Amino acid sequence: MTAQPDLLVKPDGRTAMLMASGFTLDLQAPDASGMPIEDIARALAYQPRWAGATRTFYSVAEHSIMVSRLVPGQLALSGLLHDSDEAITGDIVSVVKVLIGRDHLKARLEPIKRALERRFGFRGDLAAVKHADLVCMATELRDLLPPAWMEWGHLPPPLPDTIQPVGPDRAYALFIERYEEVKHLGQAAQPQGDARRRARR
């Protein structure tokens, strides 16, 4: 269990997220300082892509590893952690984001994303990561989803290689392994107070 000695008040279970290590993240004022990468890896390894509609189980962790290998090398950490907030929210499929309102969702979840970026030193909302994400989506559609009479014109061509899902336990191990390979690319974490002061300038 990860200790959080700075928490002087017991977190409210209605607004704080409990992670596998015992770490708690207050979603009203998120500060991910000290959160172990294992919490992200485990949640994403057990989180299905496509709301579980794939023919075999395929995790967000496996998707994230694939994205990290498609982006330019210096962006590999950002590629690996681009969906890290889904360790908190779950994988909200695109059609549900449209239904709820993308702008509304983005505004509500932005503080969580920023907290994770500060903790692990990656950069969000990068064009190269978004493109790799779409390439992976096209490949997943071809290899893992049933054929469907739907328009996917916004997607680039898929990868030539076929996806071979590995299951949650192996995905967890591979995610941690990939993180160890690319964590040196992270930027030094900014104290939360400093980040807030800079945002007000």
Side-chain angles (χ1 to χ4, degrees), residues 56-138:
T56 58
F57 180 83
Y58 181 73
S59 67
V60 176
E62 294 173 78
H63 165 83
S64 300
I65 294 165
M66 184 160 59
V67 171
S68 80
R69 296 193 183 283
L70 290 181
V71 296
Q74 70 272 21
L75 302 181
L77 180 65
S78 295
L80 183 68
L81 295 176
H82 77 282
D83 280 338
S84 58
D85 58 302
E86 293 181 9
I88 310 298
T89 66
D91 181 18
I92 307 172
V93 293
S94 295
V95 292
V96 175
K97 291 177 182 178
V98 171
L99 181 66
I100 295 173
R102 285 183 175 275
D103 291 342
H104 171 73
L105 263 179
K106 184 174 182 180
R108 294 294 292 164
L109 299 179
E110 193 74 9
I112 297 171
K113 292 185 176 184
R114 297 290 86 85
L116 293 171
E117 288 173 13
R118 286 191 297 271
R119 165 64 184 96
F120 296 106
F122 70 98
R123 295 164 57 197
D125 300 324
L126 297 173
V129 172
K130 181 59 179 176
H131 177 74
D133 188 44
L134 292 177
V135 171
C136 292
M137 182 178 176

Side-chain angles (χ1 to χ4, degrees), residues 158-191:
L159 296 170
D161 294 336
T162 302
I163 295 173
Q164 301 292 337
V166 298
D169 292 340
R170 181 63 178 149
Y172 170 84
L174 290 173
F175 189 97
I176 293 294
E177 181 180 296
R178 183 60 173 157
Y179 177 76
E180 291 299 322
E181 292 173 355
V182 301
K183 67 180 181 181
H184 68 280
L185 299 169
Q187 303 168 347
Q190 290 286 338

Side-chain angles (χ1 to χ4, degrees), residues 148-161:
W149 185 250
M150 298 176 73
E151 174 57 52
W152 299 100
H154 68 294
L155 295 179
L159 296 170
D161 294 336

